[in-house]
Amino acid sequence: MASQQQPPRIAILGAGIFVRNTYIPRLAEISNLFVLGAIWSRTQDSATTAVDIAKKFFPDVEFKWGESGLDEIIQDASIIGVAVVLAGQIQVDMSLRLLKAGKHVLQEKPAAASITELERAISSYASFNPAPIWAVAENYRFEPAFVEGKKLMAEIGDIINIHVIIEGSMNNSNPYYSSSWRRGFDGGFILDMGVHFISGLRMLVGCEVTSVSAVTSHVDSTLPAPDHVSSTIQLENGSSGVFVMVVSSRSPKVIWRIVGLKGTLQVERGSKDGKHGYTVLLYTADEQVKSWFYPFSGVTEELKTFLSDISLANLKKDCSYQAEPRLSYLEGARDVAVLDAMLESGKKQGVPVQVNRF
């Protein structure tokens, strides 16, 4: 009788807020699906802090730090997958280093800091043969509200108009407010946060944004520039709409609304019975309103998918396994490309800009 396949052994690079507050708790929920071998950070203190938290769920996890610790992870053949949860400016280079060493990588969003970096990354990745899985963590593509909302799009008929309104809450009560790398990021919180909202839009409409015309501004001096973007968007299916994002608002609101010939679909962030998530509303042609609430679960679902993918890929040593498309690096690249075009248009006082195709 064939022996049961062992769960994949993984490592985490990064020991910051998101690893401590999100990755470790979400991974703990699915701890039967993998073995957590190590958590790495640049410094010994941050690595040990994260490992102390993780040991409650993963008693055998080790801390690694510095260049020597990184080399140990790279050379450890038992570690087949690595989550890269680092500053946006260094994630691509770190991911490529791991991929070249044969590790499957789940890299946190955004996929890259610029179009130039995206092009270099995609070119480098294409040169790897065989190529391990390179996934970008974009939990919105795994949130049930968007998975189910996408199915409901058929109910509203041809799209007449789209509007996405994002009024964020990035103030000093937010744990990411003081994050130094986000403040040193070209595009600031607009790029870092905005990829989520673009991915939600692209997921629902099921096609690409082809061009944008945007105005950007910097009003709140406590935030990096810009802190606002208002953009018209043109989709390849011929429809159009608006995307408005304010980084920090006193009255946060996050909403996607798509008006069709036969009805309207709306996805809005909120809470119900003490759980945070999304309400999906379908306004039908016969003036009925149907409503569903889906609690957040996208991070857990994307982690489960990545673990499943690397387990199956590990069985097929020829790298012929086709990973889940929603996790692909190209999907993450397409989110960044839309925002990059908006930021470029904003710098040019609203001149229409074509979105780079990946």
Side-chain angles (χ1 to χ4, degrees):
M1 185 176 177
S3 60
Q4 190 174 2
Q5 186 194 2
Q6 294 297 309
R9 184 175 165 84
I10 68 168
I12 300 172
L13 301 193
I17 299 167
F18 198 60
V19 168
R20 299 193 304 269
N21 293 357
T22 302
Y23 262 75
I24 292 171
R26 297 293 80 76
L27 285 169
E29 295 173 2
I30 52 172
S31 59
N32 60 311
L33 300 180
F34 69 100
V35 174
L36 181 58
I39 297 177
W40 174 92
S41 184
R42 287 176 301 139
T43 67
Q44 185 175 0
D45 284 349
S46 59
T48 53
T49 298
V51 164
D52 286 345
I53 296 168
K55 275 187 176 293
K56 297 168 192 170
F57 314 104
F58 308 100
D60 298 324
V61 64
E62 298 178 349
F63 70 86
K64 306 282 185 182
W65 62 282
E67 194 62 29
S68 61
L70 182 59
D71 284 340
E72 288 174 20
I73 288 172
I74 288 173
Q75 291 167 21
D76 186 343
S78 73
I79 292 176
I80 66 166
V82 182
V84 176
V85 195
L86 299 169
Q89 293 90 335
I90 63 172
Q91 290 198 127
V92 168
D93 286 340
M94 187 66 81
S95 295
L96 288 169
R97 182 173 172 182
L98 292 159
L99 290 159
K100 190 174 182 180
K103 308 293 187 189
H104 300 295
V105 170
L106 175 66
Q107 178 197 309
E108 259 306 315
K109 58 82 192 166
S114 65
I115 292 296
T116 302
E117 188 174 50
L118 284 176
E119 290 171 341
R120 177 177 65 83
I122 291 167
S123 176
S124 297
Y125 184 51
S127 71
F128 298 152
N129 187 20
I133 292 169
W134 191 1
V136 170
E138 179 45 77
N139 54 291
Y140 280 44
R141 279 190 266 277
F142 289 84
E143 292 292 352
F146 292 96
V147 174
E148 298 305 316
K150 181 179 175 66
K151 297 174 186 174
L152 293 171
M153 284 293 293
E155 303 284 324
I156 70 169
D158 292 340
I159 297 172
I160 299 171
N161 180 259
I162 303 149
H163 69 258
V164 182
I165 307 296
I166 310 299
E167 297 171 9
S169 55
M170 187 52 65
N171 52 50
N172 58 14
S173 66
N174 190 300
Y176 301 102
Y177 176 78
S178 300
S179 169
S180 58
W181 75 258
R182 290 174 175 85
R183 290 178 170 271
F185 212 47
D186 188 20
F189 289 109
I190 291 285
L191 181 57
D192 175 54
M193 295 162 58
V195 287
H196 281 317
F197 312 121
I198 296 297
S199 69
L201 166 66
R202 293 180 52 246
M203 177 103 176
L204 290 172
V205 298
C207 69
E208 299 302 328
V209 179
T210 55
S211 67
V212 302
S213 176
V215 175
T216 55
S217 61
H218 187 207
V219 179
D220 187 342
S221 60
T222 67
L223 294 167
D227 65 346
H228 154 259
V229 58
S230 292
S231 179
T232 57
I233 54 174
Q234 183 72 47
L235 273 64
E236 64 184 353
N237 65 7
S239 60
S240 63
V242 295
F243 176 93
V244 178
M245 181 176 171
V246 176
V247 172
S248 186
S249 165
R250 299 292 179 185
S251 54
K253 193 173 191 66
V254 176
I255 187 169
W256 295 256
R257 188 173 170 91
I258 304 165
V259 181
L261 275 175
K262 296 191 285 186
T264 297
L265 180 71
Q266 179 173 303
V267 179
E268 183 171 5
R269 183 184 292 183
S271 59
K272 184 178 181 181
D273 301 328
K275 293 184 177 180
H276 294 283
Y278 299 97
T279 296
V280 177
L281 293 166
L282 177 65
Y283 300 84
T284 61
D286 57 0
E287 299 184 354
Q288 297 290 310
V289 182
K290 299 176 182 178
S291 176
W292 301 265
F293 181 79
Y294 299 97
F296 293 142
S297 64
V299 173
T300 304
E301 291 305 314
E302 75 183 0
L303 289 168
K304 284 165 66 176
T305 302
F306 177 70
L307 292 166
S308 173
D309 277 352
I310 66 174
S311 295
L312 293 168
N314 200 42
L315 290 174
K316 291 192 170 187
K317 301 298 182 184
D318 59 356
C319 284
S320 63
Y321 177 74
Q322 295 297 308
E324 165 60 57
R326 285 177 291 167
L327 276 175
S328 75
Y329 188 82
L330 282 175
E331 283 296 313
R334 289 163 184 152
D335 295 335
V336 171
V338 176
L339 284 162
D340 185 87
M342 289 181 185
L343 292 166
E344 182 185 342
S345 178
K347 290 173 183 175
K348 297 177 178 177
Q349 287 75 51
V351 171
V353 171
Q354 295 294 308
V355 175
N356 279 272
R357 301 302 294 264
F358 291 104

